[in-house]
Amino acid sequence: MKFNKMFLVALTSMSVFLSCSDNDDNAPDDSKVYTNGAFILNEGGSGQGSVSFISNDLGSFMQDVYGTVNPGDLFGKYVQSIFFNGDNAYIIAGGSNKITVVNRVTFKLVAKIETGLVAPRYGVVKDGKAYVTNANTYSYANPTTGNTDDYVAVINLSTNTVESTIPLNATANRIVLENGKLYITEPYNNTNVLVVNPTTNTVEAPIAVGSDADTMEVHNGILYVLRSPYGGPSEIVKVKLSDSTLSNVVFPAALNDAKNLDIYNNKIYYTVDTSVYAMDITASAASTTAILTYSSTSVYGKMYGFSVNNDNIYIADGGDFTANSNAYIYSLTGTLKKTLTVGVGPNGFYFNN
């Protein structure tokens, strides 16, 4: 569940799974592979999450990859995110305190990590170990409860076990790895990006970027952080990681509550409500001209998943979190190329290229 309502093994001898329709759930077939495309993560509502797959050429689609390949097995509740390492993909189910490990090409079950995790969120990999943020006892109803007990679980990927934890004394959400350091956003009214040294498993001096930081990305040594404080202007904070100096681009009021920062081809893409915008990475002002606007009746799930890749804009609409919802794929100029019926609460795209 999101706080705001909260990559390839090449097999030249095998062809990408092909389907004649947008919703073709066939029986397991060892000849099918899921490469050169995007996994669409479906969070699920009160039930189980799922993963869909769309090929880069948009010609092949599978609505429920895991259920098809591993019939009868389940991810768990509130499937949050995916990270990759070598041959494997790791699917985090925050509501079930579990990470399911699958082969990233066949999506066959490899292992499950079910101890040492409490509300896991996002993960990255360094030197054979995964570093996964855990929200621990965080309460949506009362955000002041448990807001200092979050931690990073350190997972030995050779044994798929949590071997240690790094207490953060803060609230943790998204995580990126750059130049041997872990950078972690704090949600809501917390004002820092946390910095963790995985060599020593210690927390270093945080970077004060302002409250409500969420999505972030590193590009050419600069950490770009999008923050959207309630009732105030959104902004992109640029952190030069070599010396932690800051600069920012403050958005006009028309772009309040901006979300979903993604960088592609030296442009920063971001969303507001159901619209997508882009600005040059060196621009000093944000564009207020939308590339596209899509239609949504969702109360909490508008633009619930977003990515820009392969010269396409990928959008997932969370819907009502009880029934299957839709994902949309647009050109970079805003032309709709594909509409997909995916699972319940689609919240992200992960590219297996």
Side-chain angles (χ1 to χ4, degrees):
M1 185 173 289
K2 289 192 175 183
F3 270 124
N4 65 347
K5 92 167 207 215
M6 148 359 339
F7 268 55
L8 167 72
V9 176
L11 297 180
T12 57
S13 62
M14 302 174 75
S15 61
V16 176
F17 159 63
L18 296 178
S19 164
C20 294
S21 70
D22 275 357
N23 296 287
D24 184 7
D25 291 316
N26 297 319
D29 185 338
D30 289 343
S31 69
K32 293 173 182 173
V33 297
Y34 301 93
T35 60
N36 298 318
F39 295 118
I40 306 167
L41 195 62
N42 305 303
E43 183 176 289
S46 59
Q48 303 294 319
S50 65
V51 171
S52 305
F53 176 81
I54 181 68
S55 62
N56 288 340
D57 65 7
L58 310 185
S60 308
F61 177 75
M62 174 67 76
Q63 188 184 55
D64 182 6
V65 177
Y66 190 77
T68 299
V69 176
N70 306 281
D73 197 63
L74 300 171
F75 285 133
K77 292 183 179 180
Y78 306 131
V79 181
Q80 179 64 42
S81 63
I82 298 176
F83 63 91
F84 297 100
N85 181 58
D87 293 342
N88 294 331
Y90 299 77
I91 299 96
I92 297 175
S96 295
N97 301 325
K98 178 168 58 175
I99 299 176
T100 299
V101 187
V102 301
N103 181 286
R104 67 191 290 175
V105 174
T106 66
F107 232 67
K108 286 186 175 182
L109 176 65
V110 173
K112 295 193 179 186
I113 304 167
E114 300 183 86
T115 58
L117 304 169
V118 185
R121 304 285 299 162
Y122 298 91
V124 294
V125 175
K126 181 182 185 296
D127 297 335
K129 296 181 181 182
Y131 297 83
V132 176
T133 55
N134 285 253
N136 209 350
T137 58
Y138 186 88
S139 170
Y140 289 98
N142 182 7
T144 62
T145 300
N147 65 353
T148 60
D149 63 358
D150 293 16
Y151 63 93
V152 173
V154 183
I155 302 172
N156 186 324
L157 296 182
S158 64
T159 61
N160 288 317
T161 57
V162 176
E163 65 177 24
S164 64
T165 60
I166 306 172
L168 296 173
N169 194 34
T171 302
N173 191 27
R174 298 182 187 269
I175 182 171
V176 298
L177 170 69
E178 181 68 14
N179 290 336
K181 298 288 182 72
L182 307 174
Y183 297 90
I184 300 168
T185 54
E186 290 189 281
Y188 288 124
N189 293 323
N190 299 296
T191 60
N192 294 321
V193 169
L194 306 176
V195 183
V196 174
N197 186 332
T199 301
T200 58
N201 282 3
T202 56
V203 181
E204 299 185 345
I207 303 170
V209 297
S211 65
D212 298 271
D214 188 21
T215 51
M216 59 178 172
E217 185 171 340
V218 178
H219 182 78
N220 290 339
I222 296 175
L223 178 67
Y224 294 80
V225 183
L226 178 62
R227 71 181 198 94
S228 296
Y230 179 75
S234 300
E235 69 172 339
I236 293 173
V237 181
K238 304 177 183 180
V239 184
K240 187 178 179 182
L241 295 179
S242 61
D243 58 12
S244 296
T245 55
L246 305 180
S247 60
N248 63 348
V249 176
V250 179
F251 288 7
L255 298 178
N256 278 0
D257 200 27
K259 295 180 176 66
N260 296 314
L261 176 147
D262 201 1
I263 297 174
Y264 183 76
N265 283 352
N266 289 315
K267 286 193 174 184
I268 302 173
Y269 291 81
Y270 49 96
T271 70
V272 177
D273 196 43
T274 57
S275 295
V276 177
Y277 302 81
M279 58 184 281
D280 289 338
I281 203 164
T282 58
S284 58
S287 170
T288 58
T289 302
I291 297 171
L292 66 94
T293 300
Y294 84 101
S295 177
S296 174
T297 60
S298 180
V299 176
Y300 299 109
K302 295 175 182 177
M303 211 68 80
Y304 204 53
F306 176 79
S307 188
V308 184
N309 203 298
N310 300 320
D311 291 334
N312 290 320
I313 297 171
Y314 295 76
I315 293 170
D317 189 80
D320 62 4
F321 298 94
T322 61
N324 289 341
S325 192
N326 293 326
Y328 306 95
I329 303 172
Y330 290 82
S331 71
L332 295 180
T333 57
T335 300
L336 179 63
K337 300 172 71 172
K338 199 78 170 180
T339 299
L340 304 169
T341 301
V342 292
V344 176
N347 66 9
F349 301 89
Y350 299 85
F351 296 87
N352 196 27
N353 293 332

